[in-house]
Every structure is written in structure tokens, then in C-alpha cells.
Amino acid sequence: MNYRHAFHAGNHADALKHTVLLALLDALKRKDGPFFVLDTHAGRGRYALSAEASRKTAEAETGIGRLRGQAGLPEALRRYLDAVAAFNPEGGTEVYPGSPLLVANELRENDRLAACELQPEEAAALKSLFAHDPRVAVHARDGYAAVKALLPPRLGATKFARGLVLIDPPYEAQDAEYPLVAAALREGLQRWPNATYAVWYPVKQRRSLQPFLRKVAVLDAKSVLLAELLVRPDDSPLRLNGSGMLLLNPPWQFDRAIAPALPVLQRLLGEAGASTRLEWLRESG
Ligand code: SAM
């Protein structure tokens, strides 16, 4: 069941996640060599926000809806809005592209995407979305197991020296998800050490997050960067107060690409007590 997520598509968490995702893809595209993306928890790929329009509190209106139409946005946010606008030629945001669709739209001829989705209906929607794109492989399977099965990526004789693993689980039982993410990161880093790993995490209560971050900070990555957007203080355990992207082996000086976007997201999407954080948990050196 994934209607809950469809309802949330385009909210503040997606704004952060997808802004960072696009900046990572841009960094990969700066070099000619082909890259590979593994999206472990891909979702259905395309969300029809118009179907949710009758809901009074459509969350996209507190996310991308507040960014759209703003002038003078930093490059990374402009990039995000343009990427979403590409799926909405009539204007507005009727269609919200999920991570696999955003990635697929950036692939060059020899780049590849493997997108995993466990929920059968979502996986079927994703398969039909990419039925005619030979660069995209959809796997109706557990994304954590795919880290073991699909990495390091190969295509015939081609090995991919560069790429990205996006881990974006639902965190339905939040504390139960952290060990799975940490194990997948450890496994992935062993199998494909040079890739960038991007993990999205919700911020409800900070207390439950700290042990996870401490664990990830000592994994065998060259560097670890964290980018967070809290739209309100993180003291209400039942609400999605904000979220973060945890980046292992991010591109060189990636903090500079993303830094200007965070205060603007805070100002446009935040309530009283909103904040951002951009911090190296480990710097390469
Ligand atoms: N990454 C997507 C995006 O940015 O548009 C959103 C993904 S959504 C937060 C999480 C998805 O993971 C849901 O569609 C859910 O059905 C799926 N899922 C849950 N457990 C999974 C697992 N073990 N492996 C793969 N997919 C899973």
C-alpha cells in the first residue's frame, strides 16, 4: 500500500531529497564515462497529484508548490524545479516525478538505472513506465538484497567505475530500518567502494537517529556528508519534522553545490523553529 506516499509526493522531504539527487546526477554527468544508478526503494516513479487535489492539505502545496514561481532561486533549486516542470508542460504540478523517473530523465545512452520496488502494484506501475527504455531495469524485489545481487554493476564486459546508490526506504517501523540501511551500506561499500551512497532519513525525534549516524560515520567510506532540512523543531515524535540526506563518498566539494539551497528551503518551506544542517561527519583527507 503506497497511497500514503503518493499523498506526500512533492512535500518538503521530496524537495530536499530530489534537489540533492539531481545535484548528484549533475556531478556524475560532468565526466564522459558511463555511470550506473541503483535505486533500492524506487516507488511507482510517477505520482498524479491532480488525483489528490480534493484533499485540503495536499502536501505538495507545502513543498514544491511554495518553491514554484519564486524568482532568484539558487542553482540547485532552480534545477529541481526545472526537472519537475519538464513533466508538466501545461504548467503547475499535476505530475510529480519520483526518483527513478528523475534519474531516467538524466541518463545518457550508456548510463544505466536499476530500480527495485517490493510492493507488487508499485513495481508493476514502474515496469510499465519504463517498458520502452532499455537503459532502465525494474526489479520487483527487495532493494536491500539487490545491493548484494546487483553490485558491483556490470553490463556484458562493461564495468561501471562510477555511480550512485540511492537508499530511500519507507521507515514504517523507524528504528527497525536503521540496521538494514547500515548493513546495506557496509555491503555496498565492500562491493562497489567508489560509488556515492545517498540515504534519505526522516527526522521525527533526534534521539533515535544519533546511534545510526554514529554507526554510519565509521563505515569504510572516504567521506560522509549530511544535509538536513527541518521545517519545524524536532520535538514532535509523531510528525515528519524534517529529513536528511546522508551522503557517503559524495562528489568533490559537494557541500558547496548544495549549501545555497538549504537556507532558501528553510525560509520558503519552514515554520517557526525551522533549521538546516550541512555537516561533514567525515572529510576525505
Ligand atoms: N525513492 C522514491 C522517490 O524518491 O520517489 C520513493 C520511495 S518510497 C519512500 C519507499 C518505497 O519503498 C515504497 O514504494 C515501498 O513500497 C518500497 N519498499 C518498501 N520496502 C521495500 C524493500 N525492502 N525493497 C524495495 N522496496 C521497498
Side-chain angles (χ1 to χ4, degrees), residues 174-175 178 201-215 228 230 233-238 241 277:
Q174 185 160 6
D175 290 349
Y178 294 132
Y201 59 86
V203 181
K204 292 180 179 171
Q205 258 178 329
R206 185 156 298 277
R207 198 160 21 93
S208 72
L209 188 59
Q210 296 301 3
F212 169 65
L213 294 181
R214 274 199 293 274
K215 213 171 184 176
E228 267 182 18
L230 263 66
D234 57 354
D235 54 4
S236 48
L238 297 178
N241 302 310
R277 182 175 169 204

Side-chain angles (χ1 to χ4, degrees), residues 36-93:
F36 180 92
V37 178
L38 171 61
D39 190 343
T40 59
H41 296 70
R44 64 188 297 119
R46 191 179 185 280
Y47 300 93
L49 294 188
S50 48
E52 303 285 344
S54 61
R55 302 242 199 167
K56 274 204 305 242
T57 54
E59 288 217 10
E61 286 315 310
T62 66
I64 191 160
R66 289 198 195 156
L67 302 175
R68 219 177 36 221
Q70 295 280 342
L73 290 175
E75 168 68 22
L77 288 180
R78 172 63 34 216
R79 175 78 173 89
Y80 166 58
L81 288 181
D82 288 350
V84 177
F87 295 95
N88 293 280
E90 312 275 298
T93 311

